[in-house]
Amino acid sequence: ENESAESIAKLRAAKELFYPLYLSPEFILKTADKAIDFHLYFIHQARVKMVMTLLPASKIIVDLGGANGSIVDMGYPYAFEKITVVDLPPEDRCEMYKDIQLKPRETANGPIYISYGSMTDLSAFPDNSVDLVWSGESIEHINEDDSKKVFAETKRILKKKGFFCLDTPNRLLTEIHTAWRGGDYIHPEHKKEYYPE
């Protein structure tokens, strides 16, 4: 109890020191040019929290577009039998992702395998064979016609009570982030950024 009370007291003291500095006009003026970077950082942290707390426990998982960080790298907490990351081979990716090398690996919760190819073609997976398909900020990298192929393939490979979970940038926010450069998409490789509706 003494350690707990002491920890709480230290946390309160840190907040009393930190919050006035963080919320001061001087700090805000000095960091205003980094506001978008901070906002994107907090959005990423919210995505990590979502993966850690909202995704269902699943045994057989397909991770679409996981080259830049698989579901496991984002904190997926459950044991699984197999995750297969589906992503383009390095030579077919945009420049900023070409150097990322994917390798099969063992994790504390299960093995990760790699399948190079487009997420529009999931023919390597049998019908009704997958518990969870995760698309972590990947659907915006293809056009709407291709996204319909992804949805059809996902429906085909999912088990009857399987899950399809995805996240994608909210166009309402990316319009704000890119307003200074004409409102184009937030990433040069994005084909479609979706509004909530």
Side-chain angles (χ1 to χ4, degrees):
E1 286 182 27
N2 288 342
E3 286 181 19
S4 179
E6 186 177 322
S7 296
I8 291 170
K10 285 181 182 179
L11 182 60
R12 284 188 183 141
K15 284 182 179 179
E16 288 175 15
L17 175 66
F18 177 71
Y19 284 163
L21 291 173
Y22 182 70
L23 299 174
S24 71
E26 294 86 4
F27 180 82
I28 291 170
L29 286 173
K30 289 187 182 286
T31 59
D33 62 331
K34 298 289 184 193
I36 290 174
D37 294 336
F38 288 147
H39 191 230
L40 292 173
Y41 170 79
F42 289 126
I43 289 171
H44 178 72
Q45 293 310 310
R47 292 181 66 230
V48 168
K49 179 84 170 185
M50 175 186 64
V51 167
M52 293 173 68
T53 61
L54 296 178
L55 295 185
S58 301
K59 295 298 180 192
I60 307 296
I61 301 169
V62 172
D63 184 344
L64 302 177
N68 197 32
S70 77
I71 192 173
V72 172
D73 300 317
M74 291 185 70
Y76 186 72
Y78 304 109
F80 51 87
E81 291 175 18
K82 178 181 185 179
I83 290 179
T84 303
V85 173
V86 176
D87 211 322
L88 297 171
E91 62 273 10
D92 292 343
R93 294 186 210 138
C94 77
E95 197 59 41
M96 69 187 305
Y97 300 126
K98 282 186 186 281
D99 292 336
I100 297 173
Q101 296 297 318
L102 297 174
K103 294 180 181 167
R105 62 186 165 116
E106 286 291 327
T107 72
N109 290 341
I112 299 178
Y113 299 91
I114 310 303
S115 177
Y116 284 118
S118 170
M119 63 183 170
T120 62
D121 177 12
L122 302 179
S123 59
F125 303 94
D127 295 358
N128 308 308
S129 63
V130 176
D131 299 302
L132 167 65
V133 175
W134 163 248
S135 171
E137 292 209 357
S138 58
I139 201 73
E140 66 277 2
H141 289 263
I142 59 176
N143 63 41
E144 277 189 272
D145 287 339
D146 283 343
S147 71
K148 291 173 186 173
K149 293 176 188 173
V150 171
F151 300 147
E153 280 288 271
T154 296
K155 185 176 181 181
R156 179 186 64 76
I157 68 173
L158 278 175
K159 294 178 181 176
K160 192 170 190 172
K161 293 191 177 186
F163 295 91
F164 178 37
C165 302
L166 67 85
D167 73 334
T168 187
N170 181 337
R171 183 63 183 145
L172 292 174
L173 290 176
T174 65
E175 282 180 325
I176 295 168
H177 290 156
T178 61
W180 62 273
R181 63 176 197 238
D184 54 348
Y185 289 154
I186 200 163
H187 189 287
E189 193 194 36
H190 286 183
K191 304 284 191 289
K192 172 78 176 178
E193 291 181 359
Y194 294 89
Y195 290 96
E197 64 272 14

